[in-house]
Amino acid sequence: MTRLGHRRFDAAVRRQVARWDAVHPWQKIIDAVFTACADPAGVPALRHGTLERVALLLADWRDTQARLADTETRMVTVLGELGLTELATSITGLSAVGAASILAETGDPARFTSGRALAGHAGLAPRQKSSGSYTGRTRTTGQGRPALRLAAWRAVWGALKSNPVYAARLAHLTSREHNKLSTGQAHAALAAALLRHLHAIITTGQRWDPAVAAGGRPGQILIAA
């Protein structure tokens, strides 16, 4: 490896990394591996075994990625067979995989009396800490189904990139003067909102309306101040 020289080693690594569908190899890691292999300290004879273990770990990772992709494909297929793909993904930024992951944990949303009940099932319902005359900050209960909570959390992270309603809500929650939330708390609040919205559109059969989600009337064009 060291006989290649740093430049040829770098090029060889980038060729191999491209086979793993990587787009931007991390230069610091490439440099660190080359430095470690060229270092005369330690036991050079054992380095081949170390690299072999790395190769085995990468093979396991690739196999896991392939099985995950297969599972996601089958989940999205089921979502389509239920006729829910177009409806669920009408929520801007919510992918079919994200919706399918949530619904795999909730089952039929209609079994919940309301969107708030669904959020409570995930442990994302608000709970205010109070004692006597003291009222503390509102937090989520943290009870319910952890897997559903995680699915909603991941889905809202993806939706935030392209959903202006959620992005505006995040900015408001983290900047308001009264009961300002941390970024993590705000994400939890948005995850709960996503569950409520998903419950509403599936149980009513109506597509997501950003005006309603932002607190306006159906079809209303909201102009930010």
Side-chain angles (χ1 to χ4, degrees):
M1 180 183 298
T2 56
R3 289 195 299 269
L4 290 174
H6 188 280
R7 181 176 299 179
R8 292 176 61 191
F9 173 74
D10 185 285
V13 169
R14 291 179 182 276
R15 285 195 301 271
Q16 290 299 317
V17 168
R19 295 174 55 190
W20 294 72
D21 301 322
V23 179
H24 301 294
W26 197 358
Q27 187 65 50
K28 287 184 178 180
I29 295 179
I30 296 176
D31 294 342
V33 171
F34 181 83
T35 299
C37 291
D39 189 349
V43 185
L46 298 181
R47 292 175 188 171
H48 291 292
T50 301
L51 292 175
E52 183 179 6
R53 289 190 63 184
V54 171
L56 292 173
L57 287 172
L58 287 173
D60 288 342
W61 176 81
R62 194 166 195 173
D63 178 65
T64 300
Q65 290 294 102
R67 288 187 285 113
L68 178 61
D70 177 66
T71 299
E72 290 179 346
T73 298
R74 289 188 281 117
M75 289 171 63
V76 171
T77 298
V78 172
L79 189 70
E81 292 172 348
L82 293 173
L84 296 176
T85 302
E86 184 176 355
L87 195 59
T89 57
S90 67
I91 299 178
T92 305
L94 178 61
S95 67
V97 171
S101 298
I102 292 173
L103 295 177
E105 296 295 331
T106 65
D108 184 0
R111 70 191 184 93
F112 297 94
T113 56
S114 67
R116 290 185 180 278
L118 175 54
H121 183 63
L124 292 169
R127 176 189 62 185
Q128 192 171 65
K129 184 178 181 180
S130 58
S131 176
S133 61
Y134 169 78
T135 300
R137 174 168 294 188
T138 300
R139 302 178 184 274
T140 57
T141 64
Q143 300 172 347
R145 291 180 63 89
L148 173 56
R149 192 160 58 247
L150 178 61
W153 182 281
R154 287 175 172 171
V156 86
W157 265 97
L160 273 169
K161 298 177 182 178
S162 55
N163 190 310
V165 175
Y166 290 172
R169 183 62 177 167
L170 177 68
H172 169 70
L173 292 174
T174 55
S175 63
R176 63 188 182 185
E177 293 184 7
H178 176 64
N179 194 22
K180 182 168 67 173
L181 303 184
S182 67
T183 302
Q185 291 170 330
H187 274 104
L190 287 172
L194 175 62
L195 291 179
R196 294 196 301 271
H197 295 167
L198 193 59
H199 179 273
I201 63 175
I202 291 179
T203 56
T204 65
Q206 300 295 318
R207 292 173 59 85
W208 187 75
D209 189 326
V212 173
R217 298 186 301 273
Q220 179 184 9
I221 299 177
L222 300 180
I223 301 177

